[in-house]
Amino acid sequence: PYTWTLIGSLPDGLSLDSASGEISGTPTVEGSEAFTVRVEDSLGAMAEVSLSLAVIIARSAMLEDFMEIPLSSPSLPLTRINVLREAPDGSGRLFVNDLRGPFYIIDGGSINTYMDLSLNFADFKPTPGLASGFVSFAFHPEFAINGLIYTVHTEYVGATPPNLGPAFTTAIAQHSVVTEWTASDPASNTFSGSTRELIRIASPHQFHNLGEVAFNPNANPGDEDYGLLYIGAGDFGSIEISQPEQLQRLDTPFGTMLRIDPLGGPFMRGGILYDYGIPPSNPFANDLDPNVLGEIYAYGFRNGHRIAWDTGGTGAALVSDIGQGNYEEVNRLIAGANYGWAEREGTFAIDVDVDPESVLPLPFDDATFGFTYPVAQYDHSAGQAIAGGFVYRGPVSSLEGKFVFGDIVTGRIFYADVDEMLAADDGDPTTIANVHELTLIHEGQQKTLLNIVRAVVNNSELNRVDLRFGMDLHGQIYVTTKQDGYIRKLTPIPSER
């Protein structure tokens, strides 16, 4: 038998059993604590051991059914919900898109069709999945006055020529298009007005085309970033067509985060008229190489399909990047930064010419490459494709200041502390924030999102949920699942209300 004696103190709420050496109790504060234990055996021999205890308080939230979206298919997935946003006009109206074309408005508990992109574009291309169809939308910050909405969709190759594309000659599979819509009456629940095409990118593959359009919600009139449109461009299938070198270039939009002034311009480049402006503060806007795209804000992404700004405190922009075979990552968006794809995946090296599904240790001279590394990541033992989320500033107090995100396939919802994430942006790839899983309570019982969706579609063998997140202007996070077509809300558990 041994006697265990604590030298120092444990975190509040925990105690050491002198007979067994077990630490037990319910911690009240999260953090790390160093302490020493003196161990004495029955013969009086003693030893002192220095230990460090990391305390992580498990977090949970209620998941409440909010609304079922009209089905756009009789077979799974029943819908293809992709983005949910609130109109920035004080009306409280929520908008949500279905990749198959419908654009819905939720107003006062009812849902109606605002417009349908599949009816607006003769070459609209909703297949084969992989973010084809009506991909994303964003409201101009002055939408209430100017009625401007920006959308991304895909089209079959038709008569309209692209203004951007690959930096080499290749067959084109589809076009990815950014459109500006001007609503005649911004307060109306049915769209009428005009359209203007801004960007049309020729894609050599159906994988990972344009995936996001968004405005910085923290920018105010007069700020440099106000009214500038961020556009997330995937790698456009560059690996699948054996062109990984496309992703470390600045003369193609592939694998980039673009930033444009949609109300600026026009300008000429290579004999093509571009009906938007390039912000002069963009990192490559004044590059002396005429082939460099001034629209590029950052590059080296595989599929940076979501960008979210912290609307309380830090103001940081976080980009969720879907990985290839091993790691899903969250990156802090920095102007001019190179995030490494297709030479890095997560905090590891990759040789796509040998095996794009395997990662390697970083080389000894890694710092000379100048890559920027994730501030949070998880591997494919935890999920398969990251669903970008938001820094939480809503009513679930235990999630305050946490970046809430999840996995598209498994439906697991994760969180990481935003301050810890920003501290990980220190130039050292080994510094990374901890990722934790959120416990969900649905209809009074602890459940996984996968099991919730399985019950709705009556399919116990279902192996994916197609998870996405939305957030309103009050910080309420919504959870959407394509397989069953539901929107749900994260709300406080009763003890937090």
Side-chain angles (χ1 to χ4, degrees), residues 60-64 395-397 441-442 444 491-497:
S60 60
M62 300 283 287
L63 189 63
E64 296 184 0
V396 183
S397 59
I441 309 298
H442 181 255
T491 61
I493 59 175
S495 62
E496 291 186 322
R497 291 176 176 168

Side-chain angles (χ1 to χ4, degrees), residues 367-406:
T368 65
F369 291 89
F371 294 133
T372 298
Y373 285 95
V375 294
Q377 68 182 15
Y378 66 90
D379 66 31
H380 283 192
S381 66
Q384 299 176 44
I386 189 170
F390 300 91
V391 178
Y392 194 80
R393 301 295 180 184
V396 183
S397 59
S398 62
L399 291 178
E400 173 70 19
K402 310 300 181 189
F403 180 64
V404 178
F405 59 107

